[in-house]
């Protein structure tokens, strides 16, 4: 039934022909695709880049997958995996940019699927793509909330060695940061500025860590450890398979490149600006993640100690090894947490636009309710609330299975 409704999506969303003459060029192009302008175009190319990079946040992604990556291929996997995934991501970014330029629509991939797939399969592929995209945004947001919440709990444990971390501690921290990000996404006028702030916060935090950790480390690893150390703790007997499987960790550093496409209806000249934001995200992501990884690997002194740390946060343990100061390690980890909060806020922006646009095209139950934009706040508040609640529910998996949340 939902798919049949989805087949008629644009027949009820379009602007009336009598109103077309009053539209600007951006709104007119949107009307030609069958949609009216519901959100204000408050974003600039820098703020869209800020949201896009804050979500992808490659160096932060490397931080979150540091030890998992090392166990799945050693430093070789991350150093050369970043290069490989950057090339792949560039190809993906070019493709996304081309499609976003031709069809600047907040629906992104599911809208393109409907336009480009054979007519016989267009509705089904579009409907399936929409659900997979929205579900992906929910689970991505959950992973960022978990990483940020766990980092905060880890800092508390480092400062209080007698404290033993329990799953419910991380669960509570997860919910706190999720609620925090929810409220920051409830006022549309501030979101473009927030995007720029989170971009610069990420880059400044990256530079501080990049300089401080190698400078304060008591000893440094030799180049062979950094560029030629392969480790296979995956259980696969063939190293090639282990390397390929391990690439999922470096892929995390270039995930969610589509974020900017879902802001196409909130920026002027999206056919030009969205590609700039997408390609800029990949470029900045490669430079930051690759240099960051090299700096961290040269500064490691006890890899086994990172895995066995009582904080549950290997990066925090690395900071403590390098600085030999709990206060210093917590300060650096606080920069990672603040960056993670920026990433989480971008996740909420992304998932709310996906949910809203999909509801607008009758892709989800109660679509007429969730497709409304709050005119005072200039955000799809109902879709935002629904997505945030689903993220909160996903956290229950962590209480039941640690493995389910870390694979």
């Amino acid at each position: 039934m939902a798919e049949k409704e989805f087949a008629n999506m644009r027949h009820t969303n379009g602007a009336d022909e009598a109103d077309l003459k009053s539209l600007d060029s951006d709104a007119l192009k949107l009307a030609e695709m069958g949609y009216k302008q519901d959100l204000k175009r408050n974003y600039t190319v820098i703020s869209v880049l800020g949201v896009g990079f804050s979500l992808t946040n490659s160096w932060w992604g490397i931080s979150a997958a540091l030890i998992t990556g090392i166990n799945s291929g050693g430093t070789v996997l991350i150093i050369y995996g970043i290069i490989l995934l950057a090339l792949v991501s560039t190809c993906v970014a070019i493709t996304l940019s081309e499609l976003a330029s031709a069809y600047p629509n907040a629906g992104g991939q599911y809208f393109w699927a409907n336009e480009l797939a054979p007519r016989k399969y267009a509705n089904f592929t579009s409907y399936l793509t929409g659900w997979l995209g929205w579900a992906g945004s929910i689970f991505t947001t959950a992973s960022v909330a978990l990483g940020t919440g766990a980092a905060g709990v880890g800092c508390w444990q480092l400062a209080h060695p007698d404290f033993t971390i329990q799953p419910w501690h991380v669960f509570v921290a997860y919910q706190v940061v999720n609620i925090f990000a929810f409220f920051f996404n409830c006022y549309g006028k501030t979101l473009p500025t927030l995007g720029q702030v989170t971009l610069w916060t990420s880059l400044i935090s990256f530079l501080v860590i990049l300089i401080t950790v190698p400078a304060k480390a008591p000893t440094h690893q030799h180049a062979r450890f950094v560029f030629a150390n392969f480790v296979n703790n995956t259980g696969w007997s063939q190293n090639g398979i282990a390397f390929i499987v391990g690439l999922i960790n470096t892929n995390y550093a270039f995930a969610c490149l589509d974020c900017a496409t879902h802001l196409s209806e909130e920026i002027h000249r999206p056919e030009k600006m969205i590609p700039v934001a997408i390609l800029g995200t990949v470029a900045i992501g490669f430079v930051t993640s690759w240099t960051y990884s090299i700096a961290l690997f040269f500064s490691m002194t006890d890899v086994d100690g990172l895995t066995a740390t009582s904080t549950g946060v290997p990066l925090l343990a690395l900071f403590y090894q390098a600085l030999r100061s709990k206060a210093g390690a917590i300060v650096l980890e606080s920069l990672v947490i603040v960056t993670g909060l920026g990433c989480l806020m971008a996740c909420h922006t992304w998932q709310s636009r996906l949910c809203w646009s999909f509801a607008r095209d009758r892709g989800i139950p109660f679509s007429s309710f969730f497709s409304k934009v709050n005119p005072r706040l200039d955000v799809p508040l109902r879709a935002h609330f629904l997505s945030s609640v689903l993220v909160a529910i996903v956290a229950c998996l962590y209480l039941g299975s640690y493995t389910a949340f870390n694979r």
Side-chain angles (χ1 to χ4, degrees), residues 38-214:
D38 289 320
L39 295 167
K40 296 179 181 178
R41 295 183 183 267
N42 293 324
Y43 280 86
T44 65
V45 66
I46 296 298
S47 55
V48 170
L49 173 62
V51 175
F53 179 74
S54 295
L55 173 53
T56 301
N57 234 323
S58 299
W59 73 267
W60 189 90
I62 291 295
S63 299
L66 185 66
I67 291 301
T68 309
I70 290 177
N71 285 329
S72 304
T75 56
V76 164
L77 172 81
I78 295 179
I79 294 297
Y80 300 106
I82 288 175
I83 297 174
L84 177 60
L85 265 299
L87 293 174
V88 173
S89 297
T90 299
C91 297
V92 173
I94 291 172
T95 302
L96 290 173
S97 297
E98 183 70 22
L99 291 169
S101 181
Y103 303 104
N105 186 283
Q109 294 95 315
Y110 82 78
F111 178 81
W112 303 334
N114 190 73
E115 293 294 309
L116 301 175
R119 286 296 94 192
K120 182 179 179 180
Y121 306 106
N123 293 325
F124 174 75
T125 55
S126 182
Y127 186 67
L128 180 62
T129 302
W131 271 104
L132 291 175
W134 185 35
S137 72
I138 297 298
F139 284 102
T140 299
T141 304
S143 71
V144 174
L146 178 68
T148 306
V153 175
C155 287
W156 179 265
Q157 198 285 327
L158 183 63
H160 303 81
D162 295 332
F163 177 72
T164 301
I165 298 176
Q166 301 294 332
W168 71 268
H169 297 143
V170 179
F171 176 84
V172 171
Y174 174 113
Q175 300 296 359
V176 168
V177 296
N178 184 47
I179 293 171
F180 177 85
F182 167 79
F183 282 110
F184 263 88
N185 268 271
C186 285
Y187 190 51
K189 191 174 182 179
T190 62
L191 289 179
T193 301
L194 185 63
Q196 296 185 51
V197 170
T198 55
L199 171 63
W200 289 112
T201 298
S202 176
L203 294 178
I204 292 172
S205 299
F206 156 74
L207 286 173
V208 170
I209 296 171
L210 183 73
I211 295 170
T212 304
V213 173

Side-chain angles (χ1 to χ4, degrees), residues 131-361:
W131 271 104
L132 291 175
W134 185 35
S137 72
I138 297 298
F139 284 102
T140 299
T141 304
S143 71
V144 174
L146 178 68
T148 306
V153 175
C155 287
W156 179 265
Q157 198 285 327
L158 183 63
H160 303 81
D162 295 332
F163 177 72
T164 301
I165 298 176
Q166 301 294 332
W168 71 268
H169 297 143
V170 179
F171 176 84
V172 171
Y174 174 113
Q175 300 296 359
V176 168
V177 296
N178 184 47
I179 293 171
F180 177 85
F182 167 79
F183 282 110
F184 263 88
N185 268 271
C186 285
Y187 190 51
K189 191 174 182 179
T190 62
L191 289 179
T193 301
L194 185 63
Q196 296 185 51
V197 170
T198 55
L199 171 63
W200 289 112
T201 298
S202 176
L203 294 178
I204 292 172
S205 299
F206 156 74
L207 286 173
V208 170
I209 296 171
L210 183 73
I211 295 170
T212 304
V213 173
K216 296 295 292 183
T219 60
H220 295 93
Q221 294 284 355
H222 48 75
R224 182 176 180 82
F225 172 83
V226 177
F227 296 103
N229 180 46
F230 188 87
V231 176
N232 181 6
N233 292 328
T234 63
W236 292 93
S237 58
Q238 295 180 338
N239 290 337
I241 298 296
F243 182 86
I244 293 172
V245 171
L247 284 175
I248 191 173
N249 298 287
T250 48
N251 183 59
Y252 189 65
F254 293 96
C256 313
L257 292 176
D258 64 299
C259 175
T261 68
H262 304 293
L263 297 173
S264 294
E265 298 175 30
E266 298 176 66
I267 184 174
H268 291 289
R269 296 193 302 155
E271 67 278 359
K272 295 182 180 292
M273 299 306 165
I274 297 301
V276 171
I278 295 174
L279 292 168
T281 296
V282 176
I284 298 173
F286 169 69
V287 173
T288 54
S289 62
W290 198 63
T291 54
Y292 179 77
S293 299
I294 292 174
L296 292 186
F297 292 151
F298 269 115
S299 305
M300 286 183 177
T301 57
D302 180 10
V303 178
D304 293 335
L306 302 184
T307 306
T309 175
S310 58
T311 66
V313 185
L315 184 66
L316 177 60
L318 192 156
F319 290 158
Y320 184 44
Q321 287 181 6
L323 273 65
R324 292 158 293 171
S325 165
K326 290 185 178 180
I330 291 172
V331 168
L332 291 187
E333 188 64 27
S334 296
L335 295 178
V336 176
I337 292 172
V338 171
T339 301
L341 288 173
C343 181
L344 187 59
M345 287 185 276
C347 285
H348 274 252
T349 304
W350 173 48
Q351 68 179 15
S352 66
R353 270 47 174 189
L354 266 169
C355 180
W356 163 71
S357 60
F358 201 37
R360 180 180 62 177
D361 288 330

